[in-house]
């Protein structure tokens, strides 16, 4: 074996000058040779810390060893034991805050951590190219309904199907995937990959019914009559607005609408697809999370000349993934740090012509431990803009909760569920993902899904059986 | 997949379809709507449920051709299917016994008003209905409205039938008589705005059904946001019915025009393709 490289094996990417005009995937993936090279960097630790810092506790040294030994099928089998969505997580997990953050190799000053996410992606993408294995598990242990087909719902569904349950997912939109489908853009997560990964879950016997809004099309009471248990994974998709003057102007969007039009409805392919999106010259994006990055980079790809992200704290506090921030800078996205909008300025037709902003300074740390931004009076200035996109966070999806008051929620409006069991106030109803935690990450939603699947199995086998006898 | 069971041409540009959607038909209540998507390339468009037959599992939808998607929908033949139909969405109208009620419908809005007329009549109200359109041929659902109304006033812009002028004129006359507990107005946004002003002159609460631009229709995007009493509300989950007096009409009407250039371009391109 050759000398271990200090740095991660680089992944080929589309040239920034080219990719800022298309929606194709930016990161192109490892080939098998690059994968083996990177796999060789892994120290194969006993009690590997990376495993403990993966919310679904994948046997990371295990699958990496298989790559090293050129046994892709073996690597896939290991991943399959822990995750139903490896091609997705390999791409969108914030590995720098999870598995890769504690990688022992990365702990030494000289070395970068092993590129665990990129290796997971390699195995998953390889597996998606192989013929689909049809599993023949008898699904007679019970019937479970899952509300919402985002990452947590899909995880519960996949795991319960493997355990022998008949699983039906109800999804309100026309396509499954939740945020994977309507939120994260094609250039970070190709929709074909999402569909293929979901197809594998369907191949395990999971049924997905789209166009069903639980609470409206069917009720929770009907679900409880027909199914042995139910998992609520409806997410946190209700957009928040800053509610500053001019929010109702044409050209002001919530990131949710902007990204839904683009990702779910193919707005970037208008008029081949029917859903339009406003063409823009100057765009202001408000926020500093991944959703803000996704919105800004999408606006650039739709042809905007200038895209400015305004964030009320400084670069050091930016919550977005570092990788995505770097990608955005390479694509000529500009940043205005310590800046907050105070008003949207109207043109004569009720359209946006500028965003009035105020400069901020950082004060004492708040409850989140981050320094609180405070406005500097008299520092107002205007950024000309015909489109403004607010990416300041989302709240709980309301329809199901409004029609099912028995489900106890917390002060912030999210479902109260036991962290260790995903059990809610209603027996037989489990909940997890963003509807419990508030907007978080794909992998955390999956982690909740893994727990819920086990607990639902226990519940149906023992608790429910004992109460109904 | 949702099958078209029946299709009727109501006027030059108004169409009626009955489609199979058993789950929605079981749940639909007056005031609610669906979102449909014709095919894979389609956009999601909101349309009010005019009538639901729970036994047959069908929905009656009446729409006007105003752009590409509605033009395409008008061409969908009996026996073929729509790719997506979601619903019933929105809050239902509060149907109860109010006393004497006044209902005003304009154009294709009459189809959205009809289930409310029927519901209010069945709840024992004394129902006075005013329906208006540009010309006699566009005055839809006349007989059905008459059947569920104690009094029906017809209005046309050109005087070809009934009262000659706008719906607000006979509306004033009815309100002057007094005794109206509550009113509804559904139609073009400008009509609803003026109906609201008239009702306010007589201190009669009036409900309007707002039809802003929507995408998902389930509260997830905020595209349909409207200013109600200076607060942001989402018409798809908080409405579509609101008290007319609380609506910021200028903001609402302005936002309706947001995609006007794109809508015109898409419709023209579709018409060109249809000809060739």
């Amino acid at each position: 074996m050759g000398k271990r490289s200090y740095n991660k094996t680089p992944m080929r990417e589309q040239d920034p000058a080219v990719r800022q005009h298309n929606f194709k995937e930016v990161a192109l993936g490892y080939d098998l040779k690059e994968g083996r090279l990177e796999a060789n960097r892994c120290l194969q630790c006993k009690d590997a810390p990376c495993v403990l810092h993966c919310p679904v506790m994948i046997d990371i040294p295990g699958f990496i060893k298989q790559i090293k030994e050129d046994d892709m099928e073996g690597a896939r089998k290991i991943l399959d034991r822990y995750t139903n969505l490896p091609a997705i997580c390999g791409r969108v997990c914030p590995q720098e805050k999870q598995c890769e953050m504690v990688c022992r190799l990365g702990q030494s000053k000289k070395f970068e951590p092993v590129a665990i996410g990129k290796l997971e992606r390699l195995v998953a993408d390889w597996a998606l190219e192989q013929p689909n294995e049809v599993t023949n598990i008898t699904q007679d242990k019970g019937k479970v309904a899952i509300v919402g087909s985002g990452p947590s719902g899909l995880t519960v569904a996949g795991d319960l199907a493997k355990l022998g349950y008949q699983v039906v997912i109800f999804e309100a939109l026309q396509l499954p995937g939740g945020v994977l489908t309507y939120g994260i853009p094609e250039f970070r997560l190709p929709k074909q990959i999402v569909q293929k990964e979901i197809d594998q879950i369907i191949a395990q016997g999971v049924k997905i019914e789209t166009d069903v809004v639980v609470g409206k099309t069917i009720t929770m009471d009907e679900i409880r009559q027909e199914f042995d248990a139910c998992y609520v994974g409806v997410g946190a998709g209700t957009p928040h607005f800053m509610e500053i003057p001019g929010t109702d102007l044409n050209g002001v969007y919530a990131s949710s609408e902007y990204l839904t039009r683009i990702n779910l409805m193919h707005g970037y392919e208008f008029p081949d697809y029917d859903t339009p999106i406003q063409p823009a010259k100057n765009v202001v994006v408000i926020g500093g999370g991944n959703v803000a990055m996704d919105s800004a980079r999408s606006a650039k790809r739709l042809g905007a000349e200038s895209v400015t992200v305004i964030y009320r704290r400084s670069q050091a506090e930016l919550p977005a993934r570092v990788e995505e921030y770097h990608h955005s800078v390479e694509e000529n996205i500009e940043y205005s740090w310590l800046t907050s909008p105070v008003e949207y300025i109207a043109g004569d037709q009720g359209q946006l012509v500028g965003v009035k902003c105020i400069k901020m300074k950082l004060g004492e740390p708040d409850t989140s431990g981050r320094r609180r931004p405070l406005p500097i009076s008299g520092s107002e200035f205007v950024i000309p803009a015909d489109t403004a996109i607010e990416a300041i966070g989302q709240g709980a999806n309301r329809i199901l909760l409004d029609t099912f008051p028995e489900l106890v929620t917390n002060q912030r409006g999210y479902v109260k569920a036991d962290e260790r069991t995903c059990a809610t106030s209603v027996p037989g109803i489990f909940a997890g993902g963003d509807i419990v935690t508030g907007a978080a990450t794909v992998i955390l939603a999956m982690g909740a899904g893994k727990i819920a699947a086990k607990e639902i199995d226990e519940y149906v086998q023992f608790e429910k059986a004992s109460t109904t006898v | 997949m949702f099958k078209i069971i029946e299709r009727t041409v109501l006027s030059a540009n108004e169409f009626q379809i009955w489609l199979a959607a058993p789950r929605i038909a079981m749940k639909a209540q007056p005031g609610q709507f669906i979102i449909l998507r014709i095919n894979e390339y389609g956009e999601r468009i909101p349309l009010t449920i005019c009538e639901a037959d729970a036994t047959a599992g069908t929905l009656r939808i009446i729409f006007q051709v105003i752009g590409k998607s509605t033009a395409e929908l008008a061409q969908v033949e009996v026996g073929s299917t729509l790719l997506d139909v979601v619903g019933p969405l929105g809050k239902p109208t509060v149907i109860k016994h109010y006393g004497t009620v006044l209902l005003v419908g304009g154009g294709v809005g009459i189809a959205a008003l009809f289930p409310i007329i029927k519901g209010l009549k069945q709840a024992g109200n004394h129902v006075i209905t005013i329906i208006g359109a540009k010309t006699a041929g566009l005055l839809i659902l006349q007989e059905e409205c008459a059947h569920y109304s104690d009094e029906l006033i017809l209005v046309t812009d050109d005087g070809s039938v009934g009262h000659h002028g706008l719906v607000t004129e006979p509306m004033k006359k009815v309100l002057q008589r007094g005794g109206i507990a509550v009113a509804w107005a559904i139609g073009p946004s400008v009509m609803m705005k003026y109906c609201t002003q008239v009702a306010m002159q007589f201190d009669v609460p009036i409900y309007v059904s707002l039809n802003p631009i929507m995408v998902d229709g389930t509260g997830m995007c905020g595209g349909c946001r409207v200013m109600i009493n200076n607060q942001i509300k989402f018409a798809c989950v908080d409405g579509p019915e609101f008290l007319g007096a609380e609506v910021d009409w200028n903001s609402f009407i302005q936002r309706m025009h947001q995609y006007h250039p794109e809508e015109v371009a898409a419709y023209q391109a579709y018409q060109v393709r249809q000809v060739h």
Side-chain angles (χ1 to χ4, degrees):
Chain A
M1 196 181 82
K3 197 167 169 277
R4 225 173 233 113
S5 161
Y6 291 145
N7 298 322
K8 286 180 182 175
T9 309
M11 184 176 274
R12 284 159 294 129
E13 288 178 350
Q14 264 200 82
D15 184 324
V18 176
R19 74 182 191 232
Q20 59 181 284
H21 303 294
N22 70 52
F23 274 84
K24 291 182 195 139
E25 192 168 24
V26 168
L28 301 172
Y30 284 156
D31 60 24
L32 293 175
K33 200 174 146 219
E34 290 162 332
R36 281 196 297 275
L37 194 67
E38 182 61 22
N40 264 313
R41 296 179 69 239
C42 175
L43 300 170
Q44 290 293 315
C45 311
K46 303 278 171 257
D47 306 320
C50 54
V51 177
L52 294 175
H53 277 75
C54 166
V56 298
M57 293 182 66
I58 292 174
D59 174 8
I60 292 166
F63 90 81
I64 291 182
K65 185 161 176 271
Q66 301 307 115
I67 299 174
K68 205 164 105 177
E69 291 170 1
D70 210 11
D71 179 6
M72 292 301 280
E73 183 57 35
R76 166 219 202 137
K77 283 202 171 118
I78 294 174
L79 281 184
D80 278 354
R81 286 213 291 272
Y82 303 92
T83 169
N84 295 306
L85 305 167
I88 290 163
C89 282
R91 285 174 168 82
V92 303
C93 267
Q95 290 101 5
E96 67 276 14
K97 291 175 188 160
Q98 294 172 334
C99 53
E100 293 180 20
M101 183 176 80
V102 295
C103 168
R104 284 221 179 97
L105 184 67
Q107 302 303 304
S108 68
K109 287 277 185 303
K110 282 184 187 167
F111 288 89
E112 284 183 352
V114 176
I116 300 167
K118 293 181 166 70
L119 289 172
E120 179 185 20
R121 169 186 164 158
L122 168 68
V123 178
D125 285 0
W126 176 88
L128 289 176
E129 297 304 313
Q130 310 309 309
N132 241 335
E133 270 179 53
V134 181
T135 44
N136 273 321
I137 300 171
T138 320
Q139 286 165 331
D140 58 1
K141 280 175 83 179
K143 284 179 80 178
V144 180
I146 291 169
V147 189
S149 66
S152 80
L154 289 171
T155 300
V156 180
D159 281 12
L160 285 174
K162 282 181 203 163
L163 287 170
Y165 286 88
Q166 219 181 313
V167 182
V168 181
I169 304 183
F170 296 107
E171 166 57 48
L173 292 173
Q174 71 252 22
L175 287 175
V179 75
L180 308 170
T181 298
Y182 71 77
I184 304 174
E186 184 82 15
F187 55 80
R188 273 214 297 141
L189 181 62
K191 301 307 145 210
Q192 212 195 342
I193 297 284
V194 177
Q195 193 55 52
K196 278 185 182 175
E197 212 136 72
I198 292 173
D199 285 345
Q200 299 223 328
I201 293 173
I202 293 171
Q204 288 159 15
V206 172
K207 201 172 159 204
I208 303 182
E209 291 197 27
T210 52
D211 294 332
V212 177
V213 183
V214 173
K216 296 279 185 188
T217 315
I218 56 172
T219 63
M220 281 301 286
D221 285 342
E222 287 166 327
I223 285 183
R224 289 167 76 189
Q225 276 164 27
E226 200 190 329
F227 294 88
D228 296 308
C230 173
Y231 179 77
V232 174
V234 295
T238 306
H240 288 156
F241 285 93
M242 301 209 51
E243 308 215 23
I244 57 175
T247 307
D248 56 340
L249 295 179
N250 289 342
V252 179
Y253 289 88
S255 54
S256 318
E257 180 189 356
Y258 197 75
L259 292 174
T260 300
R261 282 181 181 271
I262 293 171
N263 299 326
L264 178 71
M265 304 309 299
H266 292 257
Y268 63 98
E269 293 176 87
F270 178 84
D272 291 338
Y273 284 76
D274 292 338
T275 305
I277 184 129
Q278 181 173 290
K281 214 166 138 186
N282 302 305
V283 178
V284 168
V285 177
I286 298 130
N290 289 321
V291 178
M293 306 292 110
D294 287 344
S295 304
R297 298 172 70 198
S298 296
K300 194 77 192 178
R301 284 160 170 78
L302 284 167
E305 288 169 19
S306 84
V307 181
T308 309
V309 174
I310 64 174
Y311 180 52
R312 62 199 182 119
R313 291 186 163 99
S314 67
Q315 191 182 340
E317 287 84 16
L318 197 74
R321 291 195 68 190
V322 183
E323 186 181 345
E324 301 313 326
Y325 167 71
H326 287 311
H327 279 148
S328 75
V329 172
E330 286 172 355
E331 291 163 12
N332 292 316
I333 308 294
E334 292 162 62
Y335 284 79
S336 181
W337 308 111
L338 292 160
T339 304
S340 191
V342 289
E343 187 187 342
Y344 296 114
I345 301 168
D348 51 7
Q349 304 289 315
Q351 84 283 20
L352 179 77
V353 294
V355 181
K356 192 194 235 181
C357 302
I358 192 163
K359 292 304 283 185
M360 315 290 278
K361 61 183 176 199
L362 292 179
E364 295 299 307
D366 61 15
T367 47
S368 75
R370 293 183 303 176
R371 293 176 66 193
R372 187 194 301 274
L374 302 164
I376 303 170
S377 63
S379 69
E380 288 89 347
F381 67 103
V382 173
I383 305 177
D386 46 24
T387 295
I389 305 161
E390 290 195 3
I392 58 158
Q394 293 103 244
N397 283 359
R398 297 258 18 130
I399 288 188
L400 183 146
L401 305 185
D402 286 350
T403 53
F404 190 50
E406 297 94 310
L407 205 57
V408 176
T409 52
N410 65 20
Q411 309 93 299
R412 291 166 65 221
Y414 296 110
V415 173
K416 257 193 182 170
D418 189 317
E419 229 175 82
R420 291 166 300 115
T421 65
C422 294
T424 68
S425 57
V426 182
I429 312 273
F430 296 78
D434 286 3
I435 191 58
V436 172
T437 57
T441 61
V442 168
I443 188 72
L444 281 177
M446 283 182 55
K450 298 238 65 117
I451 296 171
K454 269 191 202 145
E455 294 292 328
I456 289 170
D457 183 33
E458 293 264 312
Y459 170 82
V460 177
Q461 295 310 304
F462 303 106
E463 239 172 289
K464 186 170 200 278
S466 66
T467 50
T468 49
V469 169
Chain B
M1 301 289 251
F2 301 80
K3 203 173 190 175
I4 305 277
I5 306 295
E6 199 187 305
R7 175 180 169 277
T8 320
V9 182
L10 297 182
S11 74
N13 64 351
E14 288 167 318
F15 295 80
Q16 167 177 295
I17 52 175
W18 280 91
L19 56 92
R23 275 176 172 163
I24 304 173
M26 289 277 288
K27 297 279 161 43
Q29 294 175 64
Q32 291 189 301
F33 65 94
I34 54 164
I35 288 221
L36 66 79
R37 197 166 71 114
I38 300 168
N39 56 39
E40 200 194 328
Y41 298 97
E43 61 185 333
R44 296 168 65 95
I45 56 168
L47 291 166
T48 307
I49 300 165
C50 177
E51 196 175 344
D53 184 336
T55 321
T58 53
L59 299 176
R60 179 190 193 185
I61 306 294
I62 292 177
F63 61 95
Q64 187 183 0
V65 172
I66 51 163
K68 197 252 172 177
S69 292
T70 42
E72 201 173 0
L73 186 60
Q75 299 293 322
V76 178
E77 282 165 29
V78 172
S80 57
T81 55
L82 303 177
L83 188 53
D84 299 289
V85 180
V86 193
L89 300 170
K91 289 196 171 136
T93 303
V94 180
I95 300 286
K96 61 175 187 184
H97 184 260
Y98 295 92
T100 300
V101 294
L102 170 62
L103 294 109
V104 187
V108 76
I110 299 167
L113 190 75
F114 173 65
I116 303 174
I117 296 174
K118 187 174 166 185
L120 288 168
K121 181 65 198 165
Q122 286 169 347
N125 291 282
H126 183 82
V127 177
I128 304 173
T129 304
I130 302 171
I131 54 173
K134 282 204 179 85
T135 186
L138 296 173
L139 211 44
I140 55 172
L141 302 178
Q142 277 182 53
E143 279 173 31
E144 284 167 285
C145 287
H147 186 256
Y148 292 101
S149 303
D150 295 280
E151 187 181 346
L152 177 69
I153 302 166
L154 307 180
V155 184
T156 48
D157 288 5
D158 64 358
S160 49
V161 72
H163 179 90
H164 183 183
L166 301 172
V167 288
T168 41
E169 291 151 22
M171 193 183 159
K172 265 182 206 161
K173 283 188 187 138
V174 171
L175 288 166
Q176 269 158 1
R177 290 187 226 153
I180 303 292
V182 53
W184 275 261
I186 305 181
S189 34
V190 175
M191 180 208 108
M192 293 192 286
K193 177 184 169 179
Y194 286 113
C195 288
T196 296
Q197 287 175 0
V198 171
M200 282 170 76
Q201 284 166 23
F202 293 88
D203 281 329
V204 171
I206 184 164
Y207 289 99
V208 295
S209 181
L210 299 185
N211 53 340
I213 295 170
M214 287 187 188
V215 186
D216 66 288
T218 62
M220 288 210 355
C221 83
C224 69
R225 67 189 184 275
V226 288
M227 298 303 286
I228 304 294
N229 247 347
N230 289 319
Q231 281 191 316
I232 294 174
K233 297 281 177 195
F234 294 177
C236 69
V237 287
D238 300 316
E241 240 172 60
F242 295 99
L243 276 171
E246 297 185 345
V247 175
D248 180 336
W249 288 101
N250 292 343
S251 150
F252 171 67
I253 291 167
Q254 223 154 44
R255 281 184 62 78
M256 299 279 286
H257 297 127
Q258 174 152 14
Y259 291 100
H260 188 66
E262 290 80 13
E263 285 162 1
V264 170
Y267 193 17
Q268 280 171 353
Y270 177 73
Q271 285 166 320
V272 169
R273 282 203 303 278
Q274 291 301 102
V275 173
H276 294 292

